[in-house]
Structures are given as C-alpha cells and as structure tokens.
C-alpha cells in the first residue's frame, strides 16, 4: 500500500472539489453516501440533502455575481486501509452564502 500516493490522490480530490464546489457532480464524487456534515452554524446534513439543494438552486449561469471560491486550511489527510479521512477548516469567499 502506497500511503503517500493515496494521500496525494485524496488531496487532488479535495482540490478538485473546492475548485468546483458549485457543480453537483463534484459533490456526488466527493461525499460518501453515509455523510454527516456539520456546518459552521451547527446544522447537520446528509449527502441526499446536499444533493437536493442543487435541484432547488437557480441556474448559476443566470447569476451576474461571480461564483464563490472555497479553500481549505490545516488539512490533515489520513489513510487507514481502504478508508481515507480528510479533515480541515474550510472557508468561502465571494457569494458563498
């Protein structure tokens, strides 16, 4: 098992997700089916709730504001056998809601 290669692959997945956070397919690829996401306000959501938000959202191409940008700091990636854990602090800028 090449933990360094797996860690690099997870970092690339995180970077792709952050660069495409306004795209439903990026969320579909990134989040586990059994996700429990806790927002900075303490709201908990699962993957199905996150994906449903894309169906309800207006067409982003109709918004004159630039898309929000996201980044992550203090990223800690750990690989345990066939499981990867990605933790860190996320931040959004622009029209990040």
């Amino acid at each position: 098992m090449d933990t360094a290669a797996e860690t690099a692959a997870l970092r690339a997945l995180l970077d792709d997700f952050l660069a495409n956070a306004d795209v439903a397919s990026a969320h579909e690829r990134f989040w586990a089916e059994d996700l429990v996401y806790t927002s900075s306000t303490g709201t908990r959501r699962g993957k199905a709730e996150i994906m449903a938000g894309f169906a309800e959202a207006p067409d982003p191409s109709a918004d004159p504001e630039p898309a929000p940008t996201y980044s992550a700091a203090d990223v800690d990636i750990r690989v345990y056998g066939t499981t990867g854990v990605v933790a860190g602090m996320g931040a959004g800028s622009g029209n990040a809601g």
Side-chain angles (χ1 to χ4, degrees), residues 5-87:
E6 292 165 338
T7 298
L10 287 169
R11 181 61 203 222
L13 180 63
L14 173 62
D15 291 343
D16 179 68
F17 171 73
L18 293 171
N20 296 291
D22 59 335
V23 179
S25 61
H27 287 263
E28 184 65 44
R29 187 173 46 257
F30 188 76
W31 300 121
E33 293 303 319
D34 59 352
L35 168 74
V36 177
Y37 176 84
T38 305
S39 73
S40 60
T41 62
T43 303
R44 294 178 70 161
R45 295 181 184 93
K47 182 176 181 176
E49 291 168 293
I50 291 171
M51 298 310 298
F54 283 97
E56 299 164 2
D59 180 359
S61 65
D63 189 352
E65 294 292 322
T69 58
Y70 297 92
S71 62
D74 299 325
V75 175
D76 182 12
I77 298 174
R78 299 180 188 206
V79 177
Y80 303 98
T82 60
T83 301
V85 177
V86 179

